[in-house]
């Protein structure tokens, strides 16, 4: 009997050392199913070295192998424990064991977290597919997940969402565009299939492209000093010529903003005004540093029309004729690069502190 107890005790010790005991549900890898699952992309099977696994009825796939198959760039930062994927203008960051990812800098909740299994980073397939503009289906009978690719241009509004109530005066509009290459219309003026930018209207006329915020990258469009109340956001894919692509791809979102005590504006300080001359096809001075809340007035003394246009699309004077002026109030700190549309060699920098 003593010999039998000794053997049982030894076996328990070895099992504990090898980690073969019951796994905790608190960790995603702990609930992973080891039954093989097949993954198809556009009807073709993806062959993995480390196999896909089911966690809480969600399929996790090896991040590097899946991203390579989809044509994405992949990076794993062991220090930060983050998986970073990029496709076209969209950047995806998955922190390990976190139920929140970021897409183009916008936080997005996930129903199952990215995780590590046997030293391999895994990501949720359905979440990735949906935020790549792809459909994902799963057949339980055959244990097959199918990713359906679609080359049609589309986009997904990451924030704000329909019906949101936001306690802020600054709205960041996050958008992920699919199969629509975002380029700078100032360098790409001729219409080209599959290429263009995004028009964003917040409480302005969506039929007027001149008043639209022009998104030429995946970075969110930022609207400051948004007043409390109901708001309408309109987003549309357009070509390099600012015309809607065909077929039209457009979405409208309604949301509300409210002011909380912490959002109340600070006591007003005397605003400063600075002047910049437009003379001899130059901004004079070409570089200027101002305080937040300051107004910069540009006055054209040349015989030809000029514009004062922000490279990030946040403001555009339109044509300024000789003797006329245009003013911009800078409420947010940052560095603003400006140029003249008819004469792109005319550039300047406004630093707001």
């Amino acid at each position: 009997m003593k010999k039998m107890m000794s053997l049982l005790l030894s076996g328990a010790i070895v099992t504990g050392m090898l980690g073969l005991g019951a796994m905790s549900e608190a960790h995603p890898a702990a609930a992973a199913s080891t039954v093989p699952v097949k993954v198809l992309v556009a009807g073709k099977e993806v062959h993995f070295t480390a196999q896909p696994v089911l966690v809480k009825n969600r399929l996790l796939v090896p991040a590097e192998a899946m991203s390579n198959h989809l044509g994405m760039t992949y990076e794993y930062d062991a220090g930060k424990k983050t998986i970073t994927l990029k496709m076209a203008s969209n950047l995806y960051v998955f922190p390990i064991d976190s139920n929140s990812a970021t897409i183009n800098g916008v936080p997005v909740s996930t129903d199952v977290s990215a995780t590590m299994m046997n030293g391999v980073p895994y990501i949720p397939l359905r979440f990735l597919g949906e935020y790549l503009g792809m459909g994902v289906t799963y057949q339980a009978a055959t244990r097959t997940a199918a990713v359906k690719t679609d080359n049609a241009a589309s986009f997904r509004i990451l924030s704000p969402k329909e019906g949101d109530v936001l306690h802020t005066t600054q709205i960041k509009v996050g958008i992920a565009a699919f199969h629509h290459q975002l380029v700078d219309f100032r360098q790409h003026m001729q219409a080209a299939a599959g290429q263009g930018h995004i028009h964003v209207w917040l409480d302005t006329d969506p039929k007027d492209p001149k008043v639209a915020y022009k998104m030429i990258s995946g970075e969110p469009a930022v609207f400051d000093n948004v007043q409390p109340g109901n708001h309408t956001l309109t987003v549309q894919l357009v070509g390099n010529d600012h015309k809607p692509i065909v077929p039209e791809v457009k979405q409208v979102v309604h949301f509300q903003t409210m002011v909380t005590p912490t959002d109340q504006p600070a006591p007003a300080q005397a605003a400063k005004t600075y002047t910049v001359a437009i003379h001899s096809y130059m901004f004079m001075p070409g570089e200027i540093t101002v305080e937040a809340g300051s107004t910069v007035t540009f006055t054209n003394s040349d015989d030809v029309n000029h514009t004062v246009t922000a490279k990030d699309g946040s403001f555009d004077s339109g044509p300024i004729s000789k003797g006329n002026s245009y003013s911009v109030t800078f409420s947010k700190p940052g560095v603003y690069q400006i140029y003249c549309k008819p004469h792109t060699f005319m550039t300047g920098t406004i630093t707001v502190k």
Side-chain angles (χ1 to χ4, degrees):
M1 183 69 179
K2 290 183 179 180
K3 184 175 182 181
M4 178 65 70
M5 290 296 294
S6 176
L7 288 172
L8 290 172
L9 179 61
S10 299
I13 293 173
V14 171
T15 300
M17 292 175 63
L18 293 178
L20 299 177
M23 295 184 294
S24 169
E25 290 289 330
H27 195 281
S33 168
T34 57
V35 180
V37 178
K38 183 186 298 184
V39 176
L40 306 178
V41 175
K44 296 182 179 180
E45 184 175 357
V46 181
H47 297 284
F48 300 95
T49 302
Q51 294 305 305
V53 294
L54 281 171
V55 176
K56 300 178 182 178
N57 294 320
R58 291 291 183 265
L59 185 63
L60 296 178
V61 292
E64 183 173 14
M66 194 69 214
S67 60
N68 289 341
H69 192 86
L70 293 173
M72 309 178 74
T73 62
Y74 164 89
E75 180 182 354
Y76 177 68
D77 189 319
K80 296 180 180 179
K81 294 184 178 180
T82 55
I83 303 165
T84 301
L85 309 178
K86 191 174 190 307
M87 175 175 276
S89 58
N90 300 321
L91 185 68
Y92 306 79
V93 179
F94 296 86
I96 294 297
D97 297 330
S98 170
N99 284 106
S100 178
T102 61
I103 303 175
N104 297 338
V106 177
V108 180
S109 297
T110 64
D111 52 6
V112 63
S113 62
T115 191
M116 295 289 290
M117 298 185 197
N118 299 319
V120 177
Y122 278 73
I123 52 176
L125 178 62
R126 180 176 295 278
F127 178 89
L128 180 64
E130 289 180 352
Y131 283 93
L132 282 172
M134 304 175 182
V136 181
T137 59
Y138 180 69
Q139 296 293 332
T142 59
R143 301 184 68 83
T144 301
V147 179
K148 297 181 180 180
T149 59
D150 186 351
N151 292 326
S154 63
F155 65 86
R156 186 166 185 146
I157 298 176
L158 307 172
S159 66
K161 298 293 183 65
E162 179 70 29
D164 275 354
V165 178
L166 307 175
H167 296 269
T168 181
T169 58
Q170 183 187 77
I171 301 300
K172 292 185 177 181
V173 180
I175 300 170
F178 316 117
H179 307 294
H180 185 70
Q181 183 187 7
L182 301 185
V183 298
D184 190 335
F185 58 86
R186 293 162 297 189
Q187 280 80 45
H188 302 266
M189 299 180 182
Q190 298 298 319
Q195 190 180 87
H197 54 285
I198 304 174
H199 279 178
V200 181
W201 294 269
L202 181 60
D203 300 330
T204 52
D205 183 3
K207 295 180 181 179
D208 186 356
K210 293 182 180 178
V211 298
Y213 186 110
K214 282 81 172 175
M215 289 185 69
I216 59 176
S217 69
E219 294 184 7
V222 179
F223 295 86
D224 289 314
N225 302 316
V226 177
Q227 297 302 306
N230 297 317
H231 304 282
T232 300
L233 174 72
T234 306
V235 178
Q236 186 169 37
L237 298 185
V238 299
N240 295 333
D241 54 2
H242 303 279
K243 295 180 180 179
I245 66 171
V246 179
E248 182 180 80
V249 181
K250 184 178 183 179
Q251 291 184 36
V252 178
V253 167
H254 302 92
F255 65 97
Q256 183 180 4
T257 58
M258 301 178 67
V259 175
T260 60
T262 56
D263 293 323
Q264 297 293 345
Q269 298 180 351
K272 294 184 178 180
T273 301
Y274 295 82
T275 59
V276 173
I278 304 176
H279 180 66
S280 298
Y281 292 86
M282 292 187 293
F283 294 110
M284 303 174 65
E287 297 182 2
I288 186 172
T289 300
V290 304
E291 300 80 12
S294 299
T295 298
V296 180
T297 298
F298 301 82
T299 302
N300 181 18
S301 62
D302 283 343
D303 292 329
V304 299
N305 290 351
H306 293 294
T307 72
V308 178
T309 306
K311 289 187 177 181
D312 64 2
S314 57
F315 58 86
D316 183 2
S317 65
I320 306 172
S321 59
K322 183 176 181 179
N324 288 318
S325 300
Y326 171 73
S327 297
V328 184
T329 299
F330 295 90
S331 59
K332 182 180 177 182
V335 178
Y336 298 81
Q337 304 289 338
I338 61 172
Y339 75 108
C340 172
K341 280 185 177 178
H343 317 102
T344 55
F345 56 86
M346 292 175 56
T347 61
T349 303
I350 298 116
T351 302
V352 183
K353 294 186 175 180

